[in-house]
Structure formats: structure tokens, C-alpha cells
Amino acid sequence: MHRRALIAGLAASLTTIPKAEAASGFYSGTAWHVPGWRVRHFDPSEVASRGNDQVWVSKAMMTALDRVRDDIGRPLRILSGSRDPTWNRRIGGARRSRHIQGDAVDIDLSGFTPHARYVLAWYLIDKGFTSFGSYGDRPNMLHADRRSRAAIWHHGGGRRPRSLSQALQEWQWRPVSGSPHR
């Protein structure tokens, strides 16, 4: 292969990768620039990996978060959005973390009353979040993701937050689908 053809091929592949990713339903870019970002209430830097400043998040998830933000009428602070594999290992994340898959966020619950936490959980379920996690050592954090096979967990001491349990019960949430079975 001639050098010119090799360079042309590499250049073409580099310009088509972002287009392919955009078409696949993911926002992709750097913390300071994500082409086509159409999210009103969140900046790409809020969901960028803390390891390499790259963004890889589901457009559907970000649209849902925007709608949740509209519904609850108050800001949401994202503690963790997308994670590159190296950063995920460094912080002790699960090997198959949904943060690496681009459809998970950890939300800061500081300043949320128990009722506001319930309302947040209710709207997350309403907007298609299927799985939730809480941690005894981080009572002010809620993990939410949009995986196809729903899950719920609580790690550490204590019990799952009552506000989340109440919202899940009212929605008749089921671990298999995450959707209500009314």
C-alpha cells in the first residue's frame, strides 16, 4: 500500500468514527467539546470521565435526565457519568460498570429531603431508568442506569434508602424489566 493511500484511509476513518458514534445514539467527545450536544441542563464536563476527560454517554439517558430535571424543578449534580476503563479500575468500579457502557450516572442527593429523594426516584423510573444502587457509606449518592435487564442493590451498612424503596414499590418495579407491572 502506498503511503498516500494509507494516510487517506486513516484520515477517512478518523472523520467517520464520530459520525458513526453520533448515529449510534451516543454523545462522544471531550469534556470541553461534544459535537451535537443538545442537553439543556447539563454540560458535557459534568458527565466526562474523571480519568481522561472523555465523554461517552447515551443520548437517550441524557434526554431523560434533562426531563427529570424539568420535572423536579431543581438542579441535579452528577457525581459520576461516563468512565474510561482505566479510571473505573482505579476507583474500584465494577468490571462491567454501566458507567463504561455510557448509560449510568451517580447523582448527588445532598440537600434533598426524604420527600425530594422520593420524587427524584419516581421521576427517574418514569423517564426510563431501570436500575438503582445505593451505598451505606455514601448515603447522599444514588446510582441510576438504563440497562435492559433491571437490577437494584445496596452495598455497605444500613438499609436501602426508604424514599427509593417507596418509589419502587409504588411503581410496582420488578428486577426483570424495571418497568411497572400495573
Side-chain angles (χ1 to χ4, degrees):
M1 180 180 281
H2 294 294
R3 183 173 174 220
R4 181 177 286 159
L6 177 64
I7 292 171
L10 288 172
S13 69
L14 290 174
T15 59
T16 58
I17 289 171
K19 291 177 188 172
E21 289 173 349
S24 70
F26 285 84
Y27 287 116
S28 178
T30 60
W32 55 92
H33 178 69
V34 175
W37 186 260
R38 296 203 184 342
V39 183
R40 288 188 335 240
H41 297 298
F42 301 94
D43 186 79
S45 64
E46 294 178 83
V47 294
S49 175
R50 304 294 187 255
N52 65 6
D53 286 333
Q54 294 296 303
V55 173
W56 174 258
V57 290
S58 159
K59 289 179 180 180
M61 179 188 71
M62 293 310 300
T63 298
L65 275 177
D66 244 5
R67 291 179 179 154
V68 168
R69 167 61 178 85
D70 285 336
D71 289 343
I72 66 169
R74 67 182 288 178
L76 287 177
R77 181 171 171 247
I78 306 300
L79 298 170
S80 182
S82 57
R83 295 182 192 157
D84 63 272
T86 302
W87 179 250
N88 189 62
R89 276 190 307 277
R90 183 173 172 204
I91 64 170
R95 190 169 40 111
R96 294 185 182 134
S97 172
R98 299 310 303 181
H99 292 278
I100 296 171
Q101 304 302 318
D103 67 354
V105 290
D106 293 336
I107 300 170
D108 184 1
L109 300 176
S110 299
F112 279 67
T113 65
H115 179 71
R117 291 174 186 217
Y118 158 78
V119 169
L120 173 62
W122 200 93
Y123 281 120
L124 287 167
I125 297 166
D126 182 55
K127 301 302 185 257
F129 284 83
T130 58
S131 300
F132 303 92
S134 58
Y135 302 87
D137 62 342
R138 296 183 209 138
N140 289 320
M141 185 182 86
L142 175 66
H143 170 94
D145 69 55
R146 296 172 57 98
R147 70 183 77 187
S148 59
R149 184 168 176 86
I152 187 165
W153 67 93
H154 176 78
H155 292 296
R159 302 174 74 180
R160 178 182 306 127
R162 185 171 184 199
S163 53
L164 177 58
S165 296
Q166 183 181 358
L168 293 171
Q169 182 179 9
E170 287 181 13
W171 268 94
Q172 297 178 1
W173 180 94
R174 299 287 183 260
V176 174
S177 67
S179 62
H181 296 280
R182 294 183 175 185

